[in-house]
Amino acid sequence: MRLEILETAETMYKELSGEKVRDSGYLFPFLSGTREGREEYLEYNAALFRFNRNLKALKEFAGITSDVTSYTIRHSFAMTLKEQNVPIEMISELLGHKSIKTTQIYLRSFSLGKMTEVIAPALAVSIIMNLKRGEATWRVAYSFTAQM
């Protein structure tokens, strides 16, 4: 997949990398792009391990208590796109999935915020209808909140 790199992003990248950019064909040259087979697999796993180790140190420095890994970043990126109604075909391509079915499985859940956004208006209508009937609506609201 090819992506357009904005000039400002490229400038920042060069500053952060100290101009030590290798010609590997990757945006972030953690991988050489020259290995094959088992050597390629080992290089990838070593780079992923270093990335996650550095990410863990960064999250601890920032005082973040939840888990942060390459997987959680990738999943958060995909979920953000999903909740912005980006077509699943585009998300699939951005994630590098060979099949949209893989992306559908990957994105099978919705965030609590998105579910609340969808359910809250229906709940509000239910509460208003119950108030008009004079029923005890606090039980409805409480049971909804308790399930979340």
Side-chain angles (χ1 to χ4, degrees):
M1 174 185 350
R2 299 184 64 82
L3 296 173
E4 178 183 357
I5 307 299
L6 299 177
E7 190 175 323
T8 53
E10 186 174 5
T11 301
M12 289 172 47
Y13 171 68
K14 286 180 179 179
E15 286 176 18
L16 291 171
S17 68
E19 293 288 341
K20 298 177 189 173
V21 180
R22 297 182 298 210
D23 189 24
S24 70
Y26 291 101
L27 174 61
F28 299 105
F30 304 126
L31 305 173
S32 66
T34 61
R35 301 205 170 123
E36 294 180 5
R38 180 149 175 78
E39 285 185 4
E40 180 182 32
Y41 175 78
L42 292 173
E43 181 184 41
Y44 169 81
N45 280 322
L48 185 61
F49 176 80
R50 284 190 308 275
F51 179 82
N52 281 320
R53 183 187 61 214
N54 293 337
L55 195 56
K56 182 178 181 182
L58 183 60
K59 98 169 175 109
E60 288 171 357
F61 179 77
I64 298 170
T65 56
S66 58
D67 285 339
V68 179
T69 65
S70 56
Y71 176 81
T72 59
I73 290 172
R74 182 177 163 88
H75 193 266
S76 296
F77 169 72
M79 288 298 291
T80 299
L81 294 177
K82 177 183 177 183
E83 292 183 0
Q84 292 177 356
N85 298 317
V86 172
I88 195 160
E89 296 83 3
M90 184 175 288
I91 297 171
S92 184
E93 186 173 338
L94 289 168
L95 292 175
H97 292 163
K98 292 179 181 173
S99 166
I100 289 180
K101 287 183 180 183
T102 303
T103 310
Q104 289 169 331
I105 292 167
Y106 195 77
L107 296 175
R108 69 180 171 265
S109 63
F110 287 92
S111 70
L112 179 59
K114 190 66 172 178
M115 287 190 286
T116 302
E117 179 185 320
V118 170
I119 293 172
L123 180 63
V125 169
S126 173
I127 291 171
I128 290 168
M129 288 171 54
N130 286 337
L131 281 174
K132 287 183 179 178
R133 289 189 216 137
E135 297 175 9
T137 57
W138 64 270
R139 288 186 195 144
V140 174
Y142 175 75
S143 65
F144 173 76
T145 307
Q147 292 174 13
M148 296 175 27

